[in-house]
Amino acid sequence: MDQEVWVANEDLHRVFVLHAESGALIGSIPVLFPIGLHVSSEDPHTVFIGYRNSVSKHKNNNHNNNNSSNSNSNSNSNSNSNSNSNNHASNGDENGADLGGVWSVDRRTLAKRMRFSLLSMRHPTGIVAYDGVLYVADQSAQSIFTFNISTGKFIRRYVYLFLSLLLFYLL
């Protein structure tokens, strides 16, 4: 278990687990737009995988396609939709919501255990687990969200502006 390298590939919508010495593929986990990984020091059998929503990616693709020629625009949009549809990766809830969030994954089986997400989470860029609490920094929301790791229950939201002001006055 300590001989692994975990790689999040946003374009392939997968997190790959490789053997550290040989580079051999141990397994992979389908996750739409994975962007961050954190191995829990409290539970070495847990890896947290942050993923962003797909809205910003689609907006960027549409913007780029509008600036290119019609033939390139059509081929780009077809290849994007084909690669996404063949992926079988999903982060959405039962209602199909496309949110950003974090999955906890069993490091031994590569099975997803629990999803930590809120409507306001779009682009979680930093993940840390400490003392039974999962801290998730979200770039789009400019906030840090906290969750109870055992229950998945949301605890609190810290807004960056408040943290910046607090640091300003403390320093």
Side-chain angles (χ1 to χ4, degrees):
M1 197 167 63
D2 54 342
Q3 297 292 316
E4 334 162 322
V5 175
W6 288 59
V7 179
N9 188 312
E10 211 175 346
D11 293 327
L12 295 178
H13 306 293
R14 289 212 171 274
V15 174
F16 295 96
V17 183
L18 308 170
H19 189 273
E21 291 180 15
S22 70
L25 180 66
I26 296 171
S28 70
I29 305 163
V31 177
L32 288 176
F33 303 109
I35 57 172
L37 300 167
H38 172 70
V39 178
S40 173
S41 60
E42 297 176 350
D43 177 6
H45 300 296
T46 300
V47 174
F48 294 98
I49 301 173
Y51 59 89
R52 68 174 179 82
N53 74 339
S54 61
V55 173
S56 59
K57 182 89 167 179
H58 293 303
K59 283 182 183 175
N60 289 339
N61 284 342
N62 290 338
H63 176 71
N64 290 337
N65 288 341
N66 290 337
N67 292 332
S68 61
S69 70
N70 287 339
S71 61
N72 286 341
S73 172
N74 290 337
S75 65
N76 284 344
S77 63
N78 288 341
S79 66
N80 285 341
S81 64
N82 287 341
S83 66
N84 288 341
S85 64
N86 292 333
N87 232 310
H88 307 295
S90 174
N91 295 332
D93 63 14
E94 311 80 55
N95 301 316
D98 184 19
L99 309 171
V102 177
W103 280 107
S104 68
V105 174
D106 187 306
R107 204 169 155 190
R108 299 160 294 192
T109 65
L110 305 185
K112 293 176 182 173
R113 290 183 186 157
M114 187 179 299
R115 190 178 89 163
F116 303 87
S117 186
L118 295 171
L119 287 175
S120 52
M121 291 176 69
R122 297 284 183 251
H123 200 269
T125 54
I127 306 164
V128 174
Y130 178 74
D131 200 23
V133 177
L134 182 67
Y135 296 84
V136 181
D138 190 286
Q139 182 175 326
S140 294
Q142 297 185 2
S143 300
I144 297 172
F145 298 96
T146 58
F147 298 88
N148 180 301
I149 292 174
S150 300
T151 65
K153 184 178 176 186
F154 170 70
I155 299 171
R156 184 175 180 166
R157 175 181 184 177
Y158 299 91
V159 180
Y160 288 165
L161 177 61
F162 171 75
L163 295 173
S164 299
L165 291 173
L166 180 62
L167 288 174
F168 175 77
Y169 286 111
L170 291 176
L171 300 176

